[in-house]
Amino acid sequence: MKNVPTLDIRRYDSDRAAFVAELGAAYREFGFCCISGHGIPRELIDGAYDTFQRFFALPTETKMSYRVPGTGGARGYTPFKVETAKDSTHADLKEFWHIGREIPRDSKFADVMPPNIWPSEIADFKYYGYGLFDALDRLGSRVLRALALHIDLPENYFEDKTDQGNSILRPIHYPPITEENIPNVRAGAHEDINFITLLVGASAEGLEVLTRDGEWLPITTEGDAIVVNIGDMLQRLTNHVYPSTSHRVVNPQNDNARKPRYSVPYFLHPNPDVVLDPLPQTITPDNPSRYDTSITSHEYLMQRLREIKLI
């Protein structure tokens, strides 16, 4: 059976042509790749997970004080059973927190990118939370350089299109599953909205990706590998050369179902004013343009947040 490959991103500097070819092939096939050799310190990842677990262990009323109604959960806390995968009848079994990019409050994007909220009960939440945001943002930029080269764009093509991106770090807590035969899975089958998603160190199994053959393929990582997948915005921009693939988090069929699961995806978004029209390099006789209307990344985001019941 095919597996989603793990590639060492240090080869971008030592063996660039082969690395770009292998990375591009992985994304064309699966929409997913596991990235090792990224250099993000274990201490930062472990410290962030410990910090987030301490937050989720707080009393419900404390956590709810950080919920900001009417914002689609753009910052702060979102409780259990709110987000619902598109076309799903059951809400997801998860609670989560959103950390966004810190931008000057006189930025032209300030109206759509609110300031962060930091829970006062957890002293090092900002240190680890924004530290991990920044580390994953920089790693995502490195992955995008290789993705740009693979489709004959300049290496730095995405730099000025993501430097003010409305990106989100989302610590998630999936609670222990204590009942038999619950109808909803931890996270229903969905595609991500953004450019690329980087998932660092999920604490239990369950992530599965839908292959071209219609099979659900479990994703397992080794060592320091981070799962990086394509989102719908990049799929649209690349005219589906890079596919955004359905994935889900299933309930483990063993004792891990009775343990909590934590994961921390980083959703790398383009700047809000980036227009998501298919790039000329991705339009060919075999792959004609799939879109005849223009939309900005912010308009696209709002449309999708309504679909998943966050706004």
Side-chain angles (χ1 to χ4, degrees):
M1 185 164 185
K2 289 180 177 176
N3 279 316
V4 173
T6 298
L7 298 177
D8 188 328
I9 198 166
R10 289 171 294 192
R11 289 177 52 219
Y12 183 76
D13 296 317
S14 62
D15 187 20
R16 181 163 301 182
F19 175 79
V20 167
E22 289 171 39
L23 187 81
Y27 281 116
R28 285 173 183 259
E29 171 72 24
F30 297 106
F32 274 74
C33 188
C34 301
I35 301 291
S36 64
H38 48 74
I40 297 177
R42 187 80 245 171
E43 182 275 333
L44 175 59
I45 296 170
D46 290 347
Y49 265 87
D50 175 67
T51 299
F52 301 147
Q53 287 177 28
R54 284 188 284 124
F55 171 78
F56 288 124
L58 291 172
T60 300
E61 55 270 29
T62 304
K63 292 184 287 190
M64 288 298 285
S65 72
Y66 294 105
R67 188 176 189 194
V68 187
T71 64
R75 300 291 183 269
Y77 176 70
T78 298
F80 292 113
K81 293 190 177 182
V82 173
E83 183 170 341
T84 306
K86 186 181 175 185
D87 302 326
S88 176
T89 51
H90 300 286
D92 290 344
L93 298 173
K94 65 187 181 189
E95 59 178 341
F96 54 88
W97 182 276
H98 275 179
I99 298 168
R101 186 179 303 282
E102 301 263 290
I103 59 171
R105 295 326 300 167
D106 59 357
S107 162
K108 65 178 177 178
F109 300 130
D111 59 329
V112 297
M113 292 167 63
N116 278 308
I117 300 167
W118 304 109
S120 57
E121 294 80 4
I122 310 294
D124 41 8
F125 195 100
K126 180 177 181 180
Y127 173 81
Y128 283 109
Y130 205 73
L132 190 57
F133 180 107
D134 190 53
L136 290 170
D137 191 50
R138 283 182 276 129
L139 176 61
S141 294
R142 292 167 68 192
V143 173
L144 284 173
R145 282 177 214 139
L147 288 173
L149 289 176
H150 182 69
I151 53 173
D152 299 321
L153 293 168
E155 176 189 21
N156 62 356
Y157 179 80
F158 291 110
E159 305 277 316
D160 65 353
K161 296 164 188 65
T162 55
D163 59 348
Q164 296 293 302
N166 192 6
S167 301
I168 291 289
L169 186 75
R170 175 190 273 192
I172 304 173
H173 169 224
Y174 303 95
I177 295 163
T178 53
E179 303 164 36
E180 299 297 324
N181 302 318
I182 57 166
N184 40 348
V185 295
R186 282 175 156 170
H190 64 284
E191 298 83 44
D192 292 343
I193 298 171
N194 42 295
F195 254 14
I196 57 173
T197 301
L198 298 90
L199 177 66
V200 56
S203 64
E205 77 269 39
L207 179 63
E208 297 183 343
V209 59
L210 188 63
T211 67
R212 289 175 185 273
D213 304 326
E215 306 280 330
W216 285 103
L217 178 67
I219 294 211
T220 52
T221 57
E222 297 170 12
D224 70 343
I226 287 175
V227 180
V228 184
N229 64 278
I230 305 294
D232 287 349
M233 291 186 187
L234 192 59
Q235 172 178 263
R236 194 184 199 281
L237 191 71
T238 63
N239 203 32
H240 293 233
V241 169
Y242 291 136
S244 175
T245 311
S246 283
H247 52 286
R248 65 186 184 183
V249 180
V250 297
N251 309 332
Q253 300 302 305
N254 55 30
D255 287 346
N256 283 339
R258 305 200 180 277
K259 299 176 186 172
R261 181 183 192 270
Y262 299 91
S263 77
V264 185
Y266 177 71
F267 300 110
L268 191 153
H269 280 257
N271 301 355
D273 58 357
V274 168
V275 178
L276 302 173
D277 288 354
L279 296 162
Q281 290 85 345
T282 63
I283 298 170
T284 64
D286 294 336
N287 188 31
S289 178
R290 297 164 189 252
Y291 301 94
D292 53 11
T293 56
S294 288
I295 191 168
T296 67
S297 65
H298 181 68
E299 290 164 344
Y300 190 87
L301 175 64
M302 291 300 103
Q303 184 178 304
R304 290 293 300 279
L305 290 179
R306 284 189 285 273
E307 288 176 354
I308 61 173
K309 300 182 171 59
L310 275 182
I311 57 174

